[in-house]
Structures are given as structure tokens and as C-alpha cells.
Amino acid sequence: EDFMNKYPDASDIKEAKEPKGTAEKNEEAFGKKEVRTPMKTYISMNRGGSWSLLNAPEQTAKGKKISCKVSKGCSLHLHSYSSPVFPVPYSHQNAVGLVMGIGNLGTQLKYDNEEINTYLSRDGGLSWVEIQNGPHILEFGDHGGIIVMAPIYKATKTILYSWDEGISWTEYQISNKPLNIDAIEVEPTSRSMHFIISGRRAKSSSEKGVVITLDFRDLHQPACQGVSNPDTESSDYETWTPYDGRHGDKCFLGKKITYVRRKRDRQCYNGEEKEAILYQENCPCTEMDFECDTGYKRTESGQCEPIKDMPIEPPEECNGYYTISKGYRRIPGDTCEGGGEYDPIKLACPGGWGIFSFRTLVILLLLGGAYYVVTESEWVVNAF
């Protein structure tokens, strides 16, 4: 997130004197009307090497067309750790590609409950869909095959669940009395279909806590078929490769990884076995596999250029050779192959013998002298 002027005032984040539920603390924060620091949301697909605004959905949850383009100054903004009013963006490694966030469309992040909606991405944040009006909390189960969701800041007797990653939702009553739902939990791997919902009785002086369990195995959905032949009509599975939207060969951090996951429109369960990676291969290096080196910045043309003129001189302690940066350095964790044109230039130290510095020459002479003493000395030979 982009802090345009200054950090939020410390009064925006206070600890409660007494233990309170998540929803209650958020309700207090939401009720505050302080002037907040303008913020925008950016995403990086290469570990911070470059940043871009989030693309807005093409339509609302009710199917109305949305006209919001990054080129025209409009984008999607999500609440995160620097705006502790709504839940932060959420994903899980076993729900491949799925990311949930709460936010709004426009030029900056907003806090008005009427302007906040719930969004979902199936491709790691590259594109987004609006799945519900208003802020919601949710949890993934069955490798993302089932999603359970509930509103926040709003008492409810029901939850929503989806078997098709937000295309359609089913409402299910979990209580006869309104609840303020604080959390929806699943076991840590997000593979199970057993959920736990915790909350408090709404409009109750005692604020009695409530815990409810939901087990979607009782719905007897069929098991998904065809994991060994994804992308075919008879298979319930598809292949998906992480993609940053720029490389034509769908490489991501220097490699192409293909996952097998359930098709969005197939209402079946995966089971708790681990989803497989189909294959993985390294890609040829491109400029986007490198970030700008210290003292350089990326220009509008995408190249790394020096922030100011920097003298190119050998270091005082020059040992054999020294390097001159071309303005790039490989992004940590990037496994692309090649890219030598972005590597630093190596130059021999002045007044030396290439890679053989004076220190190296002295060491070689000492080693040579020791070898001579050991092999030629009669006393040493007799001793051994």
C-alpha cells in the first residue's frame, strides 16, 4: 500500500482495555471518523522488483458492467495491515491461485461501508471478480473447492457457501437468533470440508459466545474425476500456470510451474490428498527477472538507469578484479537461465596482473618455497 503523505495517526490503532471479539473491535474502528491518510493498493509479481495497481473487475456481483481502468486512474484498492478496519487479503497454498480481499474501486482506499465490497481472484491477483456486496469474511476448504462466507458489521442468522468459487452462492441458516460472526476457521491445510464458526449473540447484554460446526461432507457431493487427464471435457480438473501478465511464455520468477486444480464450474469435492504439480521448468531470462541495483531506478521505458552520475573507480582494496553494475541484479529466488547481458562488468584492478594480485603472488611464492623445503631437504625426507 502506498503511504502518500504520512503514516496514520497513532489514535487509529488502540488496544482495547478488555478482551473483545474481532467484529466488535472492527466495529469500533469503523465508527471512527478521523481524517485518514490516502492510500492506494499495488501488487508485485516479482518479489518487489516492480509494482502495479490492481485491475478492477469487469462487472459487479449483480452483473452490472464496471467502467474502471488503470489507464484512467481507477483501480481496485484492498484493506490490509496498514488499515486495520477490515480483514486483510487472504490466500492459502492449498487453494491454488485463490486470493480474497475487501475493498473498493476508485482512485484510493475508502472506509465507507456502503462503498466496500468483497473480491476474489483465481489467478494470484492478476484479475479480480466482485463476489458480494459489502464486507465479508470467508474461508477456503477442500483445496478451495468450497468457500464459506459471512457478513461482518451486520448481524445474521445465515452463512453463504459456494461450490464454484463464487459463481453462485447458497444461503444456509445456522442460528435461530442473530449472530455477530467473528471468525470462520478450517483445519490449517484448508483441505477439509469441516468448518468452525465463532461469534456472539447480537443484541444481547451478556454477549454470549457461540461456536458452530459445519461439515459439508454430509451434502454427499460426488468426488471429482479425471485428475490424470486435466483440460479434457470428461475431466473435472484443469491446469493452471502462475502468470504476471507480461511474459508471453507465462514464466513466473524465472520458471514455469503448472498446477492441476479443480475446474471452477464443477461442483464436486477434491478429497484431502495433496494436489500435484504437473511439471516445472526454468525459462530464459528477461529484463523482468531482474530488479534495479542500488543507485538505479526503473524508468517509464522499463529500463534501470542511474539516479545520478556515479564515478566509476576501483575500490581502495582491489583484489584481482572489481565489478561495475549495469543497473540490474537478479531477483532473489528467480531461477531463470542465462541473463549474462545483465550481469556486472568485471575489470582487472589497475597495476596488477589480471586475477593475480600482489597478495596472490606472495601466497604462491610462499607455497612454492614450502614445497621446495619439504621435497628437497634431506632432514625432512629422512624424518618422514
Side-chain angles (χ1 to χ4, degrees), residues 232-250:
T232 62
E233 183 62 29
S234 60
S235 175
D236 293 319
Y237 291 91
E238 65 180 3
T239 56
W240 176 71
T241 300
Y243 181 44
D244 63 6
R246 290 169 293 194
H247 294 120
D249 51 7
K250 291 192 175 182

Side-chain angles (χ1 to χ4, degrees), residues 71-318:
S71 58
K72 296 183 179 180
C74 181
S75 61
L76 173 62
H77 306 282
L78 301 177
H79 284 267
S80 190
Y81 295 98
S82 51
S83 56
V85 178
F86 297 98
V88 301
Y90 175 67
S91 64
H92 197 282
Q93 62 180 1
N94 286 325
V96 176
L98 299 183
V99 186
M100 185 280 292
I102 296 174
N104 62 274
L105 305 179
T107 58
Q108 66 183 44
L109 191 66
K110 298 180 181 179
Y111 296 83
D112 188 347
N113 200 27
E114 299 299 321
E115 298 182 271
I116 301 298
N117 296 307
T118 304
Y119 300 90
L120 181 73
S121 172
R122 296 189 71 245
D123 51 17
L126 184 63
S127 62
W128 296 82
V129 294
E130 184 180 298
I131 56 174
Q132 283 292 322
N133 295 118
H136 290 72
I137 54 174
L138 61 75
E139 182 60 273
F140 303 124
D142 190 39
H143 299 274
I146 185 169
I147 303 175
V148 177
M149 182 167 62
I152 54 177
Y153 307 140
K154 181 180 178 181
T156 182
K157 297 179 182 179
T158 63
I159 55 93
L160 297 169
Y161 68 89
S162 174
W163 282 98
D164 50 23
E165 298 178 7
I167 295 178
S168 61
W169 294 91
T170 301
E171 190 173 27
Y172 180 74
Q173 184 173 339
I174 60 172
S175 173
N176 293 324
K177 296 181 180 180
L179 301 175
N180 289 321
I181 295 179
D182 290 327
I184 303 174
E185 303 290 344
V186 73
E187 49 79 35
T189 65
S190 287
R191 299 174 183 174
S192 174
M193 291 189 287
H194 188 189
F195 294 79
I196 298 177
I197 299 175
S198 60
R200 296 165 290 115
R201 298 288 187 191
K203 301 179 182 179
S204 173
S205 57
S206 62
E207 290 198 352
K208 195 172 184 179
V210 177
V211 176
I212 299 171
T213 64
L214 293 174
D215 193 343
F216 287 90
R217 291 176 297 182
D218 293 339
L219 293 180
H220 304 293
Q221 292 289 338
C224 297
Q225 304 294 326
V227 68
S228 60
N229 57 329
D231 296 326
T232 62
E233 183 62 29
S234 60
S235 175
D236 293 319
Y237 291 91
E238 65 180 3
T239 56
W240 176 71
T241 300
Y243 181 44
D244 63 6
R246 290 169 293 194
H247 294 120
D249 51 7
K250 291 192 175 182
C251 291
F252 191 78
L253 285 177
K255 56 179 168 286
K256 183 178 181 180
I257 306 176
T258 301
Y259 295 91
V260 176
R261 64 179 184 180
R262 200 203 66 181
K263 293 178 181 178
R264 187 178 187 185
D265 59 352
R266 301 298 175 94
Q267 297 189 19
C268 57
Y269 72 90
N270 292 293
E272 296 191 15
E273 67 275 5
K274 184 179 180 180
E275 292 187 17
I277 297 176
L278 192 60
Y279 63 86
Q280 176 176 322
E281 60 180 345
N282 289 332
C283 302
C285 292
T286 69
E287 189 174 359
M288 297 311 300
D289 293 301
F290 296 81
E291 60 184 355
C292 293
D293 204 349
T294 304
Y296 292 80
K297 66 177 181 179
R298 199 175 293 276
T299 62
E300 293 182 358
S301 62
Q303 297 180 336
C304 293
E305 296 183 357
I307 298 176
K308 59 181 180 179
D309 293 336
M310 295 180 291
I312 302 176
E313 297 178 355
E316 294 183 0
E317 294 291 332
C318 192

Side-chain angles (χ1 to χ4, degrees), residues 296 309-319 321-325 345-350:
Y296 292 80
D309 293 336
M310 295 180 291
I312 302 176
E313 297 178 355
E316 294 183 0
E317 294 291 332
C318 192
N319 185 17
Y321 65 87
Y322 64 101
T323 60
I324 299 176
S325 175
I345 301 172
K346 291 185 178 181
L347 297 176
C349 293

